[in-house]
Amino acid sequence: MKRRCTIRSREGLWAGALITLAVAGCGGEHRLPADAGPVPSSRPVASASASASASAYAPAPAVSASAAAPVETTIVEADASAAPAAALPAGEPELSRFQVALQELARGGRKAHVRILWLGDSHGQADFWTGAMRDVLQKRFGKAGPGFVHVGWKQYRHDGVRLSTDEKWSIRPKAPATSSRTGDGVFGLGGLVTTGPAGSGKARVNVTDEGLHSRLSWDVCYRLRSPDDELEVSLGTGPKQKIRATATEPPGALRHLTLVSEGRETLHVTPTRGNPELCGVVIETDPAERAGVVLDTLGINGARFGTPLAWDEASFGAELARRKPSLVVLEYGTNEAGDVAVDPAKYTQKLVRLVERIRRFAPDTDCLALAPTDRADARVRTPLVRDAIRDGARQAGCSFWDTYAVMGGEGSIKAWASESPARAANDGVHLTQRGYRELGEALASHVLRGLPP
């Protein structure tokens, strides 16, 4: 079949400004393992922010004349079906809206994807834990694509996708796990932006998941910071689209370019002038053909609850609103367990603040907070951090999953590392691919509890 790719739209959002300080993440440069009923009325739901709501994403003016003209093929995601609501699941009330959305998928009554957004640390960055959860949910409710993928970041992997670069690409902020404001704090959905040398710095994102056969949309996020910045973007052997600032789309804002392919393809991105920045690409199937589940992996090595709180709220919120998640997973705590001088009660407060921020832009999302994994050098402190996260989840109206207890509690990470094959790495912090995927399957069972088989 001849593959076709098209340009659909470019959209922008406001970007703010502030200042900087870098903080090292727990374990600083820890390396990932090589194999590597109705919602309770007490649930806090903050009002929408006036400075950046979903309306900030009104379609931008038509693409500049330098880009190829669009053809008629396009993906337009419909709103969720207005069919009669499914009976409320018998699982945790904090996950009821998410589970109702899954039930709508199961009976074919939903015309929008069910999206999960996972914010976390290095445990999520490798996409083994998240990948296993994604596999379970997509096999049962429909495979809707890999979701968010970083472009040009070498310290990152994603199931079902092959990433590559030419020349050396850089990231901003240089320490993406920092809990202090860096620059203007505008880093897109994934908390960092990438750029390569003009002319020679090519980046590629190749979808390798053989289970994806249908039409795919590729929503490329980018930022031109000066009038001299320019990008070249293409799918496979399709036409190359030149992206540059125009009078109607001036530099400074995060913008989006949407392409369409018939089946699996490879995205090519080349900075051709200046220092344009990439803030990831979202790859999804067409929900009009069949809606399914998408899980966005947003883990950053060394990250803490303070990491996303340091990002510009308006720009991150607008990207979050664009994704319309049904569930947000907060997977922090392992790095906090190493911060011996910090009162664990502060993590309760930060979790609540983060959920409040999320719900300003995605008021209908459910949330799930995870306890940290066991950590060999924090035997006393890890359960204290676990308790603080559990308290924060209760105050914020989130579901809570006790990763620490699931592993077996104190000393479990050493026990996992001594097994053959091992479920934990020898560094006393990370797990092996086997261990992560086991946790992912167990977590999927938790979010599905109460749903009919």
Side-chain angles (χ1 to χ4, degrees):
M1 175 187 295
K2 185 176 181 180
R3 291 177 177 170
R4 175 174 53 187
C5 57
T6 75
I7 186 170
R8 185 176 72 179
S9 65
R10 289 163 62 181
E11 303 172 292
L13 67 92
W14 174 87
L18 253 175
I19 92 177
T20 164
L21 175 66
V23 174
C26 127
E29 293 298 323
H30 273 314
R31 293 184 179 273
L32 298 173
D35 68 344
V39 178
S41 59
S42 60
R43 169 186 292 186
V45 178
S47 59
S49 166
S51 61
S53 65
S55 63
Y57 273 93
V63 177
S64 62
S66 61
V71 294
E72 294 180 356
T73 304
T74 183
I75 291 180
V76 179
E77 180 167 332
D79 291 331
S81 171
L88 287 173
E92 295 192 19
E94 294 87 358
L95 297 176
S96 61
R97 286 182 287 196
F98 170 67
Q99 290 190 337
V100 165
L102 292 178
Q103 286 181 311
E104 291 171 349
L105 280 180
R107 73 174 199 271
R110 185 178 175 89
K111 300 302 180 184
H113 293 319
V114 174
R115 298 186 180 93
I116 303 167
L117 192 145
W118 181 298
L119 289 164
D121 51 31
S122 57
H123 294 315
Q125 184 176 322
D127 199 35
F128 295 134
W129 190 351
T130 49
M133 182 177 178
R134 184 188 300 113
D135 285 346
V136 171
L137 298 179
Q138 289 190 343
K139 285 176 182 177
R140 179 166 172 180
F141 298 100
K143 185 186 290 285
F148 178 89
V149 178
H150 284 288
V151 179
W153 189 24
K154 293 186 68 174
Q155 286 73 41
Y156 169 81
R157 71 168 297 280
H158 196 294
D159 279 357
V161 175
R162 182 182 299 114
L163 307 171
S164 61
T165 59
D166 293 344
E167 306 296 338
K168 183 178 180 180
W169 281 60
S170 60
I171 63 172
R172 190 175 64 85
K174 290 184 178 180
T178 180
S179 295
S180 299
R181 182 75 165 229
T182 302
D184 61 8
V186 177
F187 306 120
L189 184 68
L192 62 90
V193 294
T194 60
T195 188
S200 59
K202 299 180 180 180
R204 290 166 290 274
V205 178
N206 173 226
V207 174
T208 59
D209 187 343
E210 295 182 356
L212 291 171
H213 306 288
S214 60
R215 181 181 304 164
L216 295 176
S217 69
W218 303 67
D219 184 11
V220 182
C221 177
Y222 65 94
R223 187 185 190 192
L224 308 179
R225 304 193 75 190
S226 82
D228 295 330
D229 291 345
E230 184 181 81
L231 274 175
E232 189 175 84
V233 183
S234 64
L235 277 178
T237 58
K240 296 177 179 179
Q241 317 291 341
K242 287 283 189 181
I243 307 300
R244 57 173 65 95
T246 67
T248 55
E249 295 183 350
L254 295 183
R255 299 192 184 279
H256 290 259
L257 168 71
T258 302
L259 305 173
V260 176
S261 68
E262 297 295 339
R264 300 189 304 275
E265 199 43 279
T266 300
L267 174 73
H268 302 267
V269 180
T270 305
T272 51
R273 194 174 65 186
N275 294 287
E277 295 179 332
L278 279 299
C279 36
V281 57
V282 171
I283 309 168
E284 294 186 343
T285 62
D286 185 350
E289 293 182 358
R290 185 190 174 188
V293 171
V294 180
L295 193 157
D296 293 340
T297 303
L298 307 176
I300 295 176
N301 185 20
R304 295 161 169 80
F305 283 107
T307 300
L309 289 171
W311 303 338
D312 176 69
E313 179 176 351
S315 61
F316 173 71
E319 294 292 309
L320 179 67
R322 184 183 180 87
R323 295 301 291 140
K324 300 182 179 69
S326 296
L327 176 65
V328 174
V329 179
L330 303 178
E331 178 266 303
Y332 297 106
T334 299
N335 294 306
E336 285 87 342
D339 297 338
V340 296
V342 180
D343 181 357
K346 291 186 180 296
Y347 307 137
T348 299
Q349 299 165 10
K350 288 185 176 181
L351 187 155
V352 172
R353 283 179 56 203
L354 182 54
V355 173
E356 288 173 346
R357 176 173 294 191
I358 289 168
R359 286 191 172 138
R360 278 195 282 273
F361 301 94
D364 294 327
T365 188
D366 286 336
C367 58
L368 168 62
L370 309 185
T373 56
D374 184 37
R375 179 168 169 164
D377 61 354
R379 296 169 68 98
V380 174
R381 188 170 165 82
T382 297
L384 300 179
V385 174
R386 182 269 312 272
D387 293 346
I389 292 174
R390 180 171 54 201
D391 290 346
R394 182 170 57 248
Q395 292 179 30
C398 298
S399 176
F400 172 76
W401 194 66
D402 195 342
T403 317
Y404 179 70
V406 169
M407 287 185 64
E410 182 179 342
S412 57
I413 196 162
K414 285 191 174 181
W416 281 32
S418 67
E419 297 172 349
S420 182
R423 287 185 289 170
N426 290 326
D427 64 2
V429 176
H430 297 100
L431 309 185
T432 62
Q433 181 177 164
R434 176 172 176 253
Y436 281 126
R437 293 203 184 276
E438 182 176 305
L439 285 185
E441 292 171 1
L443 182 57
S445 297
H446 171 77
V447 302
L448 295 177
R449 189 174 61 195
L451 290 178

